[in-house]
Amino acid sequence: MRRRETLAAYAFLAPWFLGLIGITIGPILASLYFSFTDYSMIGGSDWVGLQNYRDMIGDPRLHSALVVTFQYVFVSVPLQLALALALAMVLDRGVRGLPIYRSVYYLPSLLGASVAIAVLWRQVFGANGLINQVLAYFEIQGVGWVSHPDYALGTLVILNVWTFGAPMVIFLAGLRQIPAMYYEAASVDGAGPVRRFFSVTVPMLTPIIFFNLVLQMINAFQTFTQAFIVSSGSGGPSDSTLFYTLYLYQRGFGAFEMGYASAMAWLLLLIIGGFTVLNFVAARYWVFYAD
Amino acid sequence: MPTETRRAGPPATGAQTPQRRSAGRALKHAMLIAFGLVMLYPLLWMVVSSFKPTEDIFSEPGLIPSTFTLDNYTEGWTALEYPFHHYIFNSLVVVAGAVIGNLLACSMAAYAFARLEFTGRKLFFAVMLMTIMLPVHVVIVPQYILFSELGWINTFYPIIVPKLLATDAFFIFLMVQFIRGLPRDLDEAARIDGCGHARIFWRIILPLCTPALATTAIFTFIWTWNDFFAQLVFLVDPEMYTVPVALRTFSDSTTQTSWGPLFAMSAISLGPIFGFFLAGQRYLVRGIATTGIK
């Protein structure tokens, strides 16, 4: 019986096994191998040991890509989550028409990664764009935000913050789970709204905050489309929007330096894995589980 | 153990008069609406601008066009090497393949993980969960080499075949969670009646999984429709371009004068997402609240 069930299970898992081996684990191992070679599609591969990794240490564009990506992740994710939590708090307090507000705020999350929205962003923050038209109404002279190295990354941060609806919906679901009696007890003890927020809401919500944080960080590290479209694939101006994945694309599929791109992919995996582990370790000190 | 799942929020403190409360409520709605408008303004503006002559786009931040024209749509439709419906058709083929692949392959794997006892279940389940977090960039280079060895570059296979092999593990996880919530009595009764696993899966579990399948279909549609990276890498010739890749060449070749047609095609490209959003809101919200996918 058990044997038959095992066989049936393997039959149901057959497509997944094939995919796991052929399209996931095989390529992971291959990419590890390629990262030690000088592979260019045309010339085949030569083993170069740690050369790609050494080159990465001395590659100024890689350094700026890291700086850009870190700035983006560590500015946009906290802003996005703070906004998501704030709106979820407001909407949770029995607002009429909640489904409509929730939908309106959530919609950008679905669209945010599309080329169309990136195209829109390029115009909105362009020299003749919507933002500058509005500023002109107030007689303020704007700059070409996306073509200015000091502001281009900021416009992409705004784009990511704009997609706060997805974490907001998760926060809303989490807020629903906090028993009303906790708030009642806190009120009886004389806690005001601020005190209730920090003593009841935040501790009870920490697992959800943690979940959103991990998820949004992983997503943000992999940002590509927006930077590619806004800079026409260059990562400009002056590499100010050269996201890590964009630079990886340039080296791998622009210059066909597959070995170098693979080494870069492994560094990305280590960074994302590292921050995820770090999040889990730190979680022990601030995430509170009721049971 | 909390019994209350819905509540109206923390109790109001102090003695607020009804007038003050309704004034407060009106203010709150005014702020929520204002904020929603600010958020949606760029989108509305893009749609409105797509009906404006290009010179008006640069001079009118308002939403009411002084001149209404469909020229941007006719111009944009034919501005690229192929008419725009060619790219829409390509996108639909890719999306249809991806949706069917994800529905079939992920539900099969989920059935095994949720309902069957087998050697290595815990290990494989853990591996499956780990693949959810894997950045696509780690596998894209070897996948590119593999698919180019197979002669698949510039075909839709690199995008569709992985879905048929359940590489979107997110949806396996989603369906495992869902199937675990279904009463076991049903499939055990069927098993006693002599049904095999194939029949139980197809006749009992799948029909009960409709909400999870709908969530999977909707998100696969939207993700694949929006996906740019894989399509950019694997589709090389304009003949095979999907909508996002076509929009990209459009925006690269565009000088300032053709924002109108670009907006028109961008608006069209967002159309199906809007449609699915309106039709599937219930599933979308539930799907995201329980699994965190967006």
Side-chain angles (χ1 to χ4, degrees), chain A residues 126-137:
Chain A
N128 294 314
L130 178 61
I131 296 288
N132 284 349
Q133 286 171 28
V134 173
L135 287 178
Y137 260 50

Side-chain angles (χ1 to χ4, degrees), chain A residues 59-115:
Chain A
D59 181 351
R61 291 198 81 203
L62 184 107
H63 298 166
S64 57
L66 281 172
V67 170
V68 164
T69 309
F70 277 118
Q71 280 178 339
Y72 176 79
V73 171
F74 291 109
V75 174
S76 76
V77 173
L79 281 177
Q80 187 203 40
L81 293 188
L83 195 58
L85 181 57
L87 263 301
M89 292 289 297
V90 174
L91 291 180
D92 186 51
R93 303 199 175 175
V95 178
R96 272 189 130 190
L98 164 73
I100 298 169
Y101 289 124
R102 192 177 51 195
S103 297
V104 165
Y105 297 157
Y106 174 57
L107 181 65
S109 300
L110 288 180
L111 308 174
S114 67
V115 168

Side-chain angles (χ1 to χ4, degrees), chain A residues 199-222:
Chain A
S199 302
V200 181
T201 312
V202 171
M204 292 298 286
L205 213 55
T206 45
I208 309 282
I209 298 173
F210 172 67
F211 178 79
N212 273 333
L213 181 69
V214 170
L215 212 70
Q216 296 304 328
M217 275 182 73
I218 292 176
N219 280 338
F221 269 118
Q222 299 179 56

Side-chain angles (χ1 to χ4, degrees), chain A residues 5 10 101 103 105 133 175, chain B residues 7 29 32 117 119 281:
Chain A
E5 195 156 306
Y10 288 169
Y101 289 124
S103 297
Y105 297 157
Q133 286 171 28
L175 286 170
Chain B
R7 57 187 172 75
H29 278 287
L32 285 172
E117 286 297 324
T119 321
Q281 267 193 67

Side-chain angles (χ1 to χ4, degrees), chain A residues 2-288:
Chain A
R2 164 100 187 191
R3 239 193 85 131
R4 268 193 63 185
E5 195 156 306
T6 297
L7 279 178
Y10 288 169
F12 275 100
L13 287 172
W16 178 74
F17 277 134
L18 263 176
L20 182 72
I21 293 162
I23 301 190
T24 307
I25 292 182
I28 291 176
L29 297 176
S31 117
L32 185 60
Y33 171 77
F34 289 142
S35 78
F36 297 108
T37 65
D38 184 4
Y39 192 105
S40 63
M41 285 304 282
I42 317 138
S45 64
D46 295 318
W47 184 265
V48 294
L50 287 171
Q51 194 54 49
N52 287 324
Y53 293 95
R54 254 181 255 130
D55 289 348
M56 279 162 65
I57 294 169
D59 181 351
R61 291 198 81 203
L62 184 107
H63 298 166
S64 57
L66 281 172
V67 170
V68 164
T69 309
F70 277 118
Q71 280 178 339
Y72 176 79
V73 171
F74 291 109
V75 174
S76 76
V77 173
L79 281 177
Q80 187 203 40
L81 293 188
L83 195 58
L85 181 57
L87 263 301
M89 292 289 297
V90 174
L91 291 180
D92 186 51
R93 303 199 175 175
V95 178
R96 272 189 130 190
L98 164 73
I100 298 169
Y101 289 124
R102 192 177 51 195
S103 297
V104 165
Y105 297 157
Y106 174 57
L107 181 65
S109 300
L110 288 180
L111 308 174
S114 67
V115 168
I117 293 300
V119 163
L120 172 65
W121 233 248
R122 206 166 89 181
Q123 211 299 331
V124 163
F125 288 97
N128 294 314
L130 178 61
I131 296 288
N132 284 349
Q133 286 171 28
V134 173
L135 287 178
Y137 260 50
F138 301 101
E139 304 201 345
I140 300 168
Q141 177 66 47
V143 298
W145 308 96
V146 286
S147 51
H148 194 295
D150 290 346
Y151 302 113
L153 184 59
T155 67
L156 295 176
V157 168
I158 293 172
L159 176 48
N160 196 35
V161 175
W162 186 64
T163 63
F164 71 88
M168 180 196 74
V169 170
I170 301 170
F171 278 136
L172 268 171
L175 286 170
R176 284 280 161 87
Q177 302 296 320
I178 304 176
M181 60 179 185
Y182 289 3
Y183 289 108
E184 281 153 18
S187 292
V188 170
D189 289 345
V194 176
R195 186 68 203 272
R196 281 200 300 264
F197 175 73
F198 285 106
S199 302
V200 181
T201 312
V202 171
M204 292 298 286
L205 213 55
T206 45
I208 309 282
I209 298 173
F210 172 67
F211 178 79
N212 273 333
L213 181 69
V214 170
L215 212 70
Q216 296 304 328
M217 275 182 73
I218 292 176
N219 280 338
F221 269 118
Q222 299 179 56
T223 302
F224 174 79
T225 307
Q226 298 88 324
F228 185 99
I229 297 296
V230 165
S231 69
S232 299
S234 70
S238 321
D239 286 351
S240 63
T241 61
L242 185 71
F243 279 61
Y244 193 86
T245 54
L246 180 50
Y247 186 46
L248 190 154
Y249 173 84
Q250 289 182 357
R251 294 298 288 257
F253 298 96
F256 283 101
E257 295 170 68
M258 297 296 199
Y260 194 78
S262 296
M264 279 189 70
W266 272 85
L267 180 63
L268 180 67
L269 183 67
L270 289 179
I271 291 171
I272 292 178
F275 274 101
T276 306
V277 169
L278 203 67
N279 264 324
F280 272 90
V281 171
R284 278 193 224 141
Y285 300 100
W286 67 273
V287 176
F288 166 80

Side-chain angles (χ1 to χ4, degrees), chain B residues 70-200:
Chain B
L70 286 174
D71 290 354
N72 291 327
Y73 283 84
T74 49
E75 202 183 306
W77 202 270
T78 52
L80 295 175
E81 195 172 337
Y82 292 87
F84 208 72
H85 57 252
H86 182 88
Y87 308 116
I88 294 178
F89 179 76
N90 283 349
S91 268
L92 287 177
V93 172
V94 167
V95 166
V99 170
I100 293 168
N102 266 350
L103 287 179
L104 271 178
C106 294
S107 63
M108 280 172 65
Y111 176 72
F113 282 127
R115 279 296 204 254
L116 301 177
E117 286 297 324
F118 58 94
T119 321
R121 190 172 84 149
K122 282 210 171 119
L123 172 74
F124 290 133
F125 192 71
V127 170
M128 188 273 288
L129 286 182
M130 281 200 302
T131 60
I132 294 178
M133 273 180 280
L134 186 76
V136 62
H137 312 91
V138 177
V139 288
I140 194 92
V141 165
Q143 279 183 3
Y144 183 88
I145 294 163
L146 170 73
F147 293 141
S148 94
E149 291 291 319
L150 291 169
W152 284 4
I153 299 303
N154 212 28
T155 71
F156 299 144
Y157 294 125
I159 299 153
I160 296 172
V161 171
K163 314 281 176 186
L164 284 164
L165 301 179
T167 48
D168 277 355
F170 241 135
F171 298 116
I172 304 180
F173 180 64
L174 176 88
M175 284 191 250
V176 167
Q177 296 298 86
F178 193 86
I179 295 172
R180 279 181 180 161
L182 299 173
R184 268 182 180 267
D185 310 358
L186 288 166
D187 35 323
E188 259 150 37
R191 211 187 299 194
I192 290 163
D193 288 346
C195 286
H197 289 294
R199 254 178 105 105
I200 295 172

